């Protein structure tokens, strides 16, 4: 019941707004700025975590057929 009452009160208010002058306003700017700051902090954190990674690929230990040493092709 409350939802229908709220809708009946908001519909007349929506008709008062000029369709050519609708802007995001201050709330839209605040939300956009908060998202931008959050992405900046996430990128900063990701760069810090990626800097801690020390990855060295292990050599392939599967023997190659016809080779004397495992992992080295015959020349």
């Amino acid at each position: 019941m409350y939802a229908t009452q709220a809708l009946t009160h908001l519909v007349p208010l929506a008709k008062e707004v000029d369709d050519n002058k609708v802007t995001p306003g201050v709330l839209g700017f605040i939300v956009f700025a908060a998202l931008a700051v959050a992405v900046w902090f996430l990128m900063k954190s990701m760069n810090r975590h990626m800097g801690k990674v020390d990855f060295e690929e292990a050599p392939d230990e599967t023997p190659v057929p016809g080779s004397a040493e495992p992992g080295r092709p015959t020349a």
Side-chain angles (χ1 to χ4, degrees), residues 4-74:
T4 57
Q5 286 178 346
L7 286 176
T8 57
H9 286 94
L10 289 177
V11 169
L13 292 176
K15 292 296 180 187
E16 295 175 7
V17 177
D18 185 13
D19 291 335
N20 296 328
K21 294 184 180 180
V22 175
T23 63
V26 176
L27 180 62
F29 174 75
I30 291 171
V31 169
F32 182 77
L35 288 172
V37 169
V39 168
W40 183 75
F41 276 116
L42 285 172
M43 293 292 289
K44 190 174 179 181
S45 174
M46 182 193 68
N47 284 333
R48 193 171 347 137
H49 281 86
M50 291 300 287
K52 293 179 183 178
V53 173
D54 184 25
F55 177 74
E56 292 183 20
E57 188 172 347
D60 190 16
E61 296 295 329
T62 57
V64 177
S67 136
E69 290 185 37
R72 294 194 177 217
T74 57

